[in-house]
Amino acid sequence: MKISDKQLELVNGRIDALVEADSFYGKKLKAAGVKHVSDAEEFEQLPFSEKSDLREAYPLGLMTAPEEKIVRIHSSSGTTGLPVIIPYTAKDVDDWAIMFKRCYEYAGVTNKDRIQITPGYGLWTAGIGFQNGAEKLGAMTVPMGPGNTEKQIQMMIDMKTTVLCSTSSYALLLAEEIEKRGIQDKIHLKKGIMGSERWSQKMRDKIQSVLGIELFDIYGLTEIYGPGIGINCPGETGMHIWDDYLYVEIIDPQTGKNLPDGEWGEIVITTLVKEGAPLIRYRTHDMSRIIPDKCHCGRDYPMIDVIKGRTDDMMKIKGVNVFPNQIEEILARFEELNSEYQIRISHLDGKDTMRIYVEAKSGSYDFQEVGGRFAEAVKSKIGFTPIVKVVEIGVLPRSEKKAKRVIDERYDSE
Ligand code: ZN
């Protein structure tokens, strides 16, 4: 999927703006002597932008449009160091809502739907992104924000909510609660739009079976508008990406070289029309691939596959590269086990140790026997045997935001 002439023209417009604003990337371009790019090869030689560059620009170093045009900022969570501040112009806010509306439309959501929004509002892009898209569509929103499960369920029943927007972890928590109370017949949900977290097939199956809803994955990241830059097509796992606003590349995360369509690698995104904080060749650290075949729906928007993980989720244990996704794939084969898991990696007596906690479904299982078989399955997939501990359902922490499933204790000082 080479960059088109139309997209190149838009990139050149962004290069002009960045150089003029003398932002971090404008400086990079000047240093590299780049004025314009005229073909795919030249484009692929443009320097990458990284989250660390964005952090260094704190607080407002990314601002590329004149201040009088900036109407809002958003910020990514600052769990490691300074947060990233992204300024938006009115046009950026509107473009984002147009993209998000398109996501709802692809999922078959209409202005007759009632959309309950559980992600957080505020500096974070999630809640307000879902909100603006829904308003653009003309649907009624129930802007709950996160937490307060009691009230969420009450509103879901009373408002006859038809669409649930949430993280997959929170949808699972709600599904389990609804199942526990036996109130499925009072729930009117038809669709779930899940954002901002990678999830396993098993989790999806559980949410779908309890709530009886069709699920969609929405893609996005704060640095690039927020959620809503792509969504999976009904009946497909692949997600269409709005290439009139964004250009997507897949690179080898180690070498930085572009990979052919179909190969797995790191997603790199260029914003084509963003004004407040345009980004060129931004490394997302999300792992996916471009799906080379045309979608059955016949639409031309390119597709990326389900996000397999993050380049920084990769765990190096005993010299082997392990992705959480591989553990999820094994988990999916075990009928006896739930979708939740936790991986703890520690370093004891000069050796790496991987412990995996999994939850048994309700019913009577021989925990030790199931755990033994699970450990065997992991060994045959990744090459070494972990310590597996099967626990009762509900023991592992559930989260209203993103669940933390991998805990690396090797470098903690005690
Ligand atoms: Zn499609």
Side-chain angles (χ1 to χ4, degrees), residues 3 7 34 51 72-73 90 92 102 111 125 147 155 168 171 175 181 209 212 255 268 327 346 364 378 389 405:
I3 190 162
Q7 288 171 322
V34 179
K51 189 143 183 173
R72 187 200 285 179
I73 60 147
D92 294 337
R102 215 184 263 171
N111 57 9
T125 50
M155 290 301 265
S168 44
R181 297 181 189 193
S209 73
T255 66
V268 171
I327 306 302
S346 49
S364 54
V378 174
K389 183 130 176 64
R405 298 205 171 84

Side-chain angles (χ1 to χ4, degrees), residues 116 152-161 183 186-188:
Q116 188 157 333
Q152 296 278 3
I153 293 174
Q154 197 58 49
M155 290 301 265
M156 202 177 274
I157 293 170
D158 296 345
M159 294 296 121
K160 298 191 168 59
T161 300
I183 51 169
K186 293 198 178 120
I187 301 293
H188 297 81

Side-chain angles (χ1 to χ4, degrees), residues 94-152:
D94 199 49
D95 284 347
W96 181 21
I98 293 168
M99 285 189 273
F100 216 126
K101 173 177 180 252
R102 215 184 263 171
C103 290
Y104 282 125
E105 285 168 344
Y106 265 55
V109 178
T110 73
N111 57 9
K112 296 220 173 86
D113 278 297
R114 296 178 181 181
I115 305 179
Q116 188 157 333
I117 299 168
T118 71
Y121 288 73
L123 279 174
W124 214 32
T125 50
I128 203 161
F130 282 100
Q131 179 76 30
N132 287 352
E135 288 182 5
K136 195 84 161 168
L137 180 72
M140 185 203 291
T141 60
V142 185
M144 297 296 294
N148 203 343
T149 300
E150 194 66 41
K151 183 122 193 217
Q152 296 278 3

Side-chain angles (χ1 to χ4, degrees), residues 327 331 337-338 340-342 356-360 367 370-371 374 388-393 396:
I327 306 302
L331 206 49
L337 300 173
N338 195 19
E340 288 301 306
Y341 66 93
Q342 194 178 76
I356 308 176
Y357 295 87
V358 288
E359 282 187 353
F367 284 11
V370 177
F374 192 81
V388 175
K389 183 130 176 64
V390 182
V391 297
E392 275 173 39
I393 192 159
L396 295 176

Side-chain angles (χ1 to χ4, degrees), residues 106 233-234 236 240 295-299 303:
Y106 265 55
C233 208
E236 291 283 335
H240 285 289
C295 184
H296 68 84
C297 74
R299 286 142 162 160
M303 283 182 117

Side-chain angles (χ1 to χ4, degrees), residues 56-261:
E56 273 168 37
Y58 184 87
L60 281 170
L62 294 177
M63 193 161 73
T64 303
E67 167 136 18
E68 48 289 15
K69 292 188 76 184
I70 303 297
V71 299
R72 187 200 285 179
I73 60 147
H74 281 294
S75 158
S76 67
S77 56
T79 45
T80 48
L82 286 171
V84 170
I85 304 283
I86 305 285
Y88 294 66
T89 65
K91 181 178 183 292
D92 294 337
V93 169
D94 199 49
D95 284 347
W96 181 21
I98 293 168
M99 285 189 273
F100 216 126
K101 173 177 180 252
R102 215 184 263 171
C103 290
Y104 282 125
E105 285 168 344
Y106 265 55
V109 178
T110 73
N111 57 9
K112 296 220 173 86
D113 278 297
R114 296 178 181 181
I115 305 179
Q116 188 157 333
I117 299 168
T118 71
Y121 288 73
L123 279 174
W124 214 32
T125 50
I128 203 161
F130 282 100
Q131 179 76 30
N132 287 352
E135 288 182 5
K136 195 84 161 168
L137 180 72
M140 185 203 291
T141 60
V142 185
M144 297 296 294
N148 203 343
T149 300
E150 194 66 41
K151 183 122 193 217
Q152 296 278 3
I153 293 174
Q154 197 58 49
M155 290 301 265
M156 202 177 274
I157 293 170
D158 296 345
M159 294 296 121
K160 298 191 168 59
T161 300
T162 57
V163 178
L164 172 69
C165 300
S166 75
T167 61
S168 44
S169 312
Y170 196 49
L172 180 67
L173 188 148
L174 285 169
E176 286 178 341
E177 195 56 37
I178 288 164
E179 187 181 40
K180 203 164 89 191
R181 297 181 189 193
I183 51 169
Q184 283 105 316
D185 59 331
K186 293 198 178 120
I187 301 293
H188 297 81
L189 289 177
K190 288 186 293 195
K191 293 171 202 289
I193 300 191
M194 308 285 116
S196 80
E197 193 185 31
R198 204 168 38 78
W199 57 346
S200 65
Q201 188 56 44
K202 196 145 195 170
M203 221 162 149
R204 171 182 285 229
D205 292 345
K206 171 80 184 177
I207 299 165
Q208 260 168 340
S209 73
V210 175
L211 298 177
I213 59 177
E214 193 181 1
L215 291 178
F216 293 87
D217 284 321
I218 205 149
Y219 184 57
L221 51 162
T222 304
E223 296 83 351
I224 314 279
Y225 297 100
I229 64 172
I231 192 165
N232 67 299
C233 208
E236 291 283 335
T237 51
M239 297 182 282
H240 285 289
I241 298 288
W242 316 130
D243 68 347
D244 40 355
Y245 292 89
L246 307 154
Y247 177 65
V248 171
E249 302 168 80
I250 301 290
I251 62 159
D252 178 326
Q254 250 97 46
T255 66
K257 293 265 176 286
N258 284 72
L259 292 171
D261 291 357

